[in-house]
Amino acid sequence: MIALDRNLLHRFGLLLIIFLIGIALSLATESFATLSNLTNVARQVSINGILAVGVTFVLLTAGVDLSLGSVVALSGVACATFAQTGEHFVLIPISVGLLVGTACGLTNGLFVTIAGIPPFIVTLGMMTVARGLALIFSGGRPVANISVNLTDFAGDIGGVPIPLLCFAAVATLAWFFLRHFKLGRHIYAIGGNEQAARAAGISVNKVKLLSYALCGLLAGLAGVVLTARTTTGQPNAGVAYELDAIAAVVIGGTSLAGGIGTITGTLLGVLLIGEINNGLDLMGVSSYFQAVIKGVIIVGAVWLDRRQSRS
Amino acid sequence: MLQALELRKDFGGLTVLQPTSVDFLPGEVHALMGENGAGKSTLMKILAGLYQPDGGQIKWRNQVVTFRSPHDALTAGIAMIHQELMPIPHLTVAENITLGAEPTGTLGFIDRKAQLVRAATLLAELDSDINPARLMHTLTVAQTQVVEIAKALGRQADVVLMDEPTAALSDLEVAALFRAITRLKARGVAVVYTTHKMDEVFQLADRITVLRDGTYIGTHLARDLSPPKLIEMMVGRELSDVFPARGQASQDVILEVKGLSREPAYRNISFKLHRGEILALSGLMGAGRTEIVSALYGLQPTFEGEIWIRGQLSWIRSPADAIAAGIGMVTEDRKGLGLIPAQSVQQNITLSSLHKLSLGPLLDHAREKKEASAQISQFAVRTSGPQQPIHQLSGGNQQKSLIARCLLHDPDIIILDEPTRGIDIGAKAEIYAIIQKLAQAGKAVLLVSSELLEVLSLAHRIMVIRQGDLAAELDATKTDQVTLLHHAMPL
């Protein structure tokens, strides 16, 4: 019961912070509380949101994925390569992007489980390998001339941005999976105590492999969305995206030691980071200062949270 | 030398230690006995200055004293060695022993040579041959304890308090620790210690003080007590109430093990287990018992030997295989291999049975809750509800939850590895009753236990493992502790 209450308190606290910053921003700037700006925020948080949901799975198993940004670039380039003007069947480039992402995630998972290498090292390796592959396949240049079929993927349906719909769908599915699937429970158990989970009859390697694959799949999706939005496959895109994603998840109350955390928390973390990014832009803060402020806010939020949960 | 006078301690309105008076004499080993929550640790912590008493006084060398902190007590000559040891792993043994009191040469630099000599002298006094230049983290738990004792000696401690020093030790290590304690005694140090192990108390203690539910029951000379008498004092009831009567084992073989080996842990282990039977694996700690049952459960699979279940040759490569074959196990390592501490009692209980509580890949939350609640009431797990985090439960209730987890997936063969270690006698009695009920319901139980009384009173048959070999197979009703120990001792 106590853990539940603390969760509620945590979520309520985050919600309150998001709300207060929102009020402050609408007072401080004229443009924050406009429909066009909020739509823009929604578009911007979608990519980080999709990545954050993916990395939640991995963090819950007490793992980590540092390769997200590079995988976004690689799957974006792959997607763009198959979406040149004149090709009409949009499912092909999308599937290619998702497949490339999943393959990267699976590779991470195989090295973590079968080879037993720490996730930090494996995904650090994948971070440079995927970036290198993206540069090789694109020849170091952005892959342009993308067909409208794909760029439409970043458009609207009835005024709602498609990337936001993707994010919402991904988050809902992930929430449902973690809460109502046997495998979701297994993910929590492995993060809580891997050896005990194995002794309780859980196939630890299979479940971890699945987590890394899902994380890769969602990184692939983020790559596709990014390519559609920017209308190019950028081999240099997505640098440090993993950090924003992991920060959002941790702000949302997920333990880096695994076994504790929720998708709802991740959503709130994503919103907070998106709001801060947008607010700093609107207030005309230079990007150099933005980086410093964001870092301080991330560490401060987690620090406050830890203090709160200890007392 | 050290006297507790009417010491009392309250925690949030609850009195955890009723006024208790005990005196501790130089050169004696004084055991504090009682169930978990009886107040032993509380009394010790007051004496060591960790807790302030809410009533009563401490008399030290006939003077009333107040210890505001462990440092005060240490300065006076009272050192406590905690259950969880706190050495600094990457320093040497000598550096740990002299920590905070390093011998210094000119200019205030640490005199390394003097440091080593001093450590070696202290260790030699304890009859120990640990090299003081070794790094702390290379030592075994027992050696670490000896180093902690040497550290206490170096501080000129006249009283050494030890909270369950043997809980994590193998029998050979216990022997080394006992040698050190005997040396302390010879130097006139008063040793106060707690343990859950009956055999030890009678080997080591001069006097025994029993506490129950925070109340002082009495202090006796160890030679005036017997294990059954001591248990009765601790539990407050007759021994026959602790161990229920055995049922009848059948002749129906459910598990047959042929020539199981895994060098160097064990070799050529063969036995049969029948429905309705409780078969105990006895022997010293480190004899290979846990390794043998871990192979049967797939935790440490072996390729040498055959496992036949219900007349079929079985391949068990993982716990998942074992569960599918109808084997369940409660491991000895409750923290490491049992609990998922962040999860609720309910989630811990249902963890191995989710396949039965699901519709396809989807969890059936209503059924899960129903089954978990049923297990909680059946095993009398004391919890505020199925959603309470399991780490808030007492050791005994955690253990009962893990037994519930094992039984919920309905195994025919149940392996219990030290099922009552570190839990109080009340909870032990409940677990004994569960074990007998399982056997009477036609399950086969493989019980690993280091407590001889437990093995003799629960099992039908006893297999003694000695250094990885099956040394003897005995009828539990026709043997005694001396015979068991005789077979268990290394040749």
Side-chain angles (χ1 to χ4, degrees):
Chain A
M1 290 317 268
I2 289 162
L4 194 72
D5 289 346
R6 211 173 66 194
N7 252 330
L8 280 177
L9 192 76
H10 179 263
R11 271 182 233 167
F12 188 70
L14 258 184
L15 208 56
L16 192 73
I17 294 173
I18 293 171
F19 189 66
L20 289 178
I21 295 182
I23 289 184
L25 285 175
S26 8
L27 294 177
T29 67
E30 284 182 359
S31 44
F32 180 77
T34 58
L35 188 64
S36 69
N37 181 56
L38 291 180
T39 318
N40 190 27
V41 172
R43 238 180 252 282
Q44 282 169 354
V45 299
S46 298
I47 288 176
N48 188 35
I50 291 168
L51 291 173
V53 167
V55 83
T56 303
F57 290 112
V58 170
L59 291 173
L60 280 176
T61 67
V64 74
D65 191 344
L66 300 176
S67 65
L68 290 177
S70 302
V71 174
V72 165
L74 179 59
S75 38
V77 165
C79 170
T81 313
F82 283 84
Q84 295 298 298
T85 316
E87 288 170 39
H88 295 289
F89 196 47
V90 73
L91 276 183
I92 291 177
I94 293 179
S95 314
V96 168
L98 299 184
L99 272 177
V100 167
T102 311
C104 292
L106 264 177
T107 312
N108 280 335
L110 283 172
F111 277 98
V112 169
T113 53
I114 294 176
I117 303 170
F120 188 93
I121 307 293
V122 171
T123 59
L124 194 68
M126 178 58 79
M127 180 175 163
T128 64
V129 170
R131 179 71 63 194
L133 289 177
L135 288 164
I136 292 170
F137 290 140
S138 63
R141 288 176 303 277
V143 183
N145 297 324
I146 292 176
S147 80
V148 218
N149 290 348
L150 185 68
T151 51
D152 279 351
F153 192 59
D156 295 355
I157 294 181
V160 186
I162 296 177
L164 184 64
L165 290 176
C166 281
F167 172 35
V170 161
T172 312
L173 287 176
W175 175 83
F176 190 81
F177 176 81
L178 282 177
R179 205 178 159 82
H180 296 288
F181 270 55
K182 202 167 55 186
L183 278 168
R185 183 70 62 76
H186 287 173
I187 287 178
Y188 281 104
I190 289 171
N193 183 345
E194 184 171 325
Q195 293 307 318
R198 186 173 113 81
I202 294 173
S203 307
V204 171
N205 279 357
K206 278 188 210 159
V207 177
K208 280 172 126 180
L209 206 55
L210 175 83
S211 302
Y212 282 93
L214 279 175
C215 185
L217 170 73
L218 292 180
L221 177 62
V224 171
V225 171
L226 185 69
T227 300
R229 249 189 71 194
T230 56
T231 68
T232 47
Q234 288 274 6
N236 289 313
V239 173
Y241 275 22
E242 58 277 348
L243 299 183
D244 264 12
I246 292 171
V249 178
V250 173
I251 287 176
T254 294
S255 160
L256 283 177
I260 301 172
T262 58
I263 292 293
T264 334
T266 296
L267 282 185
L268 293 176
V270 168
L271 281 183
L272 182 64
I273 290 194
E275 190 181 39
I276 293 169
N277 280 339
N278 179 255
L280 293 175
D281 272 342
L282 292 184
M283 290 195 294
V285 178
S286 93
S287 63
Y288 303 161
F289 273 103
Q290 281 196 20
V292 174
I293 293 170
K294 216 167 73 184
V296 170
I297 288 177
I298 288 168
V299 175
V302 174
W303 182 49
L304 274 178
D305 175 47
R306 297 294 184 269
R307 268 171 42 128
Q308 192 186 30
S309 55
R310 239 178 298 161
S311 58
Chain B
M1 181 162 60
L2 176 66
Q3 275 180 296
L5 294 173
E6 300 290 308
L7 285 178
R8 199 189 86 227
K9 182 72 193 168
D10 305 326
F11 277 123
L14 193 75
T15 304
V16 293
L17 186 65
Q18 302 283 355
T20 297
S21 302
V22 197
D23 56 333
F24 304 96
L25 309 172
E28 81 161 350
V29 177
H30 195 128
L32 295 178
M33 299 293 289
E35 304 185 36
N36 285 343
K40 315 166 294 222
S41 295
T42 310
L43 178 57
M44 254 191 191
K45 284 175 181 168
I46 295 175
L47 294 174
L50 275 159
Y51 291 163
Q52 303 306 311
D54 293 306
Q57 294 171 326
I58 300 172
K59 245 183 161 180
W60 174 239
R61 300 191 198 284
N62 294 320
Q63 304 244 323
V64 173
V65 289
T66 311
F67 297 141
R68 301 217 171 277
S69 68
H71 181 78
D72 284 0
L74 198 58
T75 315
I78 300 174
M80 179 154 177
I81 293 165
H82 292 268
Q83 211 171 341
E84 275 91 32
L85 299 165
M86 295 172 266
I88 302 175
H90 292 283
L91 293 185
T92 65
V93 169
E95 284 164 336
N96 266 282
I97 289 179
T98 58
L99 196 68
E102 291 87 353
T104 48
T106 43
L107 297 173
F109 290 121
I110 294 177
D111 184 345
R112 303 236 167 235
K113 214 168 161 189
Q115 195 176 32
L116 285 172
V117 170
R118 179 156 171 68
T121 318
L122 288 167
L123 287 169
E125 279 192 52
L126 296 173
D127 216 7
S128 161
D129 55 0
I130 302 167
N131 180 353
R134 270 176 74 178
L135 288 179
M136 205 62 201
H137 68 90
T138 64
L139 302 186
T140 64
V141 180
Q143 289 174 322
T144 310
Q145 252 154 358
V146 171
V147 169
E148 294 276 322
I149 296 173
K151 194 165 145 188
L153 263 187
R155 306 277 167 77
Q156 308 297 323
D158 293 315
V159 177
V160 176
L161 308 165
M162 294 188 221
D163 197 4
E164 296 218 28
T166 57
L169 301 189
S170 76
D171 289 84
L172 289 175
E173 293 173 317
V174 168
L177 178 69
F178 282 9
R179 274 202 304 279
I181 292 180
T182 313
R183 295 297 290 248
L184 283 179
K185 206 171 129 172
R187 280 176 50 118
V189 173
V191 178
V192 184
Y193 98 132
T194 64
T195 180
H196 278 284
K197 297 179 188 166
M198 282 294 148
D199 318 346
E200 258 175 53
V201 186
F202 288 97
Q203 266 183 58
L204 199 62
D206 299 304
R207 286 196 303 158
I208 300 173
T209 291
V210 178
L211 297 167
R212 189 201 310 148
D213 294 332
T215 311
Y216 175 78
I217 302 296
T219 302
H220 296 273
L221 286 173
R223 61 169 178 273
D224 294 343
L225 288 174
S226 63
K229 179 82 186 93
L230 178 57
I231 292 179
E232 285 175 17
M233 281 175 76
M234 288 162 62
V235 194
R237 53 180 155 162
E238 299 278 321
L239 199 59
S240 54
D241 293 340
V242 176
F243 289 107
R246 270 173 276 235
Q248 186 68 45
S250 77
Q251 291 303 310
D252 187 4
V253 175
I254 185 160
L255 169 74
E256 183 169 6
V257 173
K258 293 180 185 169
L260 211 63
S261 297
R262 204 177 90 149
E263 295 290 354
Y266 55 88
R267 62 207 66 84
N268 203 20
I269 303 293
S270 302
F271 64 90
K272 287 178 183 163
L273 178 66
H274 307 87
R275 282 185 195 274
E277 183 180 38
I278 302 173
L279 173 60
L281 277 173
S282 183
L284 302 181
M285 274 194 230
R289 299 166 305 167
T290 294
E291 289 79 0
I292 293 168
V293 292
S294 296
L296 297 179
Y297 189 61
L299 274 171
Q300 297 169 19
T302 172
F303 292 93
E304 276 183 71
E306 294 173 0
I307 300 169
W308 293 73
I309 297 167
R310 293 180 213 89
Q312 294 210 329
L313 185 59
S314 303
W315 283 97
I316 294 171
R317 305 255 64 97
S318 70
D321 290 349
I323 288 173
I327 302 178
M329 176 163 170
V330 178
T331 59
E332 90 181 304
D333 185 358
R334 191 160 65 227
K335 277 205 178 104
L337 291 173
L339 300 172
I340 314 282
Q343 293 196 333
S344 65
V345 177
Q346 170 178 324
Q347 289 173 330
N348 269 280
I349 288 178
T350 58
L351 189 61
S352 294
S353 313
L354 292 178
H355 54 286
K356 286 182 168 176
L357 304 171
S358 300
L359 305 162
L362 282 175
L363 290 171
D364 182 344
H365 293 288
R367 241 188 96 203
E368 185 190 358
K369 190 173 177 192
K370 206 181 100 203
E371 294 284 348
S373 305
Q375 294 291 97
I376 287 172
S377 56
Q378 190 188 341
F379 296 115
V381 178
R382 273 171 284 279
T383 163
S384 64
Q387 302 306 330
Q388 187 180 15
I390 199 157
H391 66 83
Q392 295 177 351
L393 266 51
S394 72
N397 284 307
Q398 290 178 344
Q399 186 70 357
K400 284 192 279 179
S401 305
L402 292 180
I403 293 177
R405 175 198 289 172
C406 166
L407 298 181
L408 186 58
H409 65 76
D410 200 23
D412 291 329
I413 302 161
I414 297 153
I415 302 169
L416 303 171
D417 194 358
E418 304 282 4
T420 63
R421 173 180 293 169
I423 64 178
D424 61 59
I425 292 193
K428 278 185 185 176
E430 290 178 47
I431 288 174
Y432 297 150
I434 294 170
I435 295 174
Q436 290 299 356
K437 247 191 245 163
L438 286 172
Q440 279 160 20
K443 308 281 187 188
V445 178
L446 198 52
L447 170 74
V448 176
S449 171
S450 296
E451 285 197 41
L452 298 178
L453 197 62
E454 194 170 290
V455 167
L456 288 165
S457 313
L458 278 177
H460 296 97
R461 273 189 304 145
I462 303 173
M463 295 192 301
V464 184
I465 309 294
R466 177 177 58 215
Q467 294 176 322
D469 292 307
L470 182 50
E473 197 184 308
L474 306 162
D475 183 335
T477 56
K478 294 184 185 127
T479 188
D480 53 30
Q481 302 206 359
V482 178
T483 317
L484 275 185
L485 273 175
H486 169 74
H487 287 296
M489 285 300 170
L491 297 172

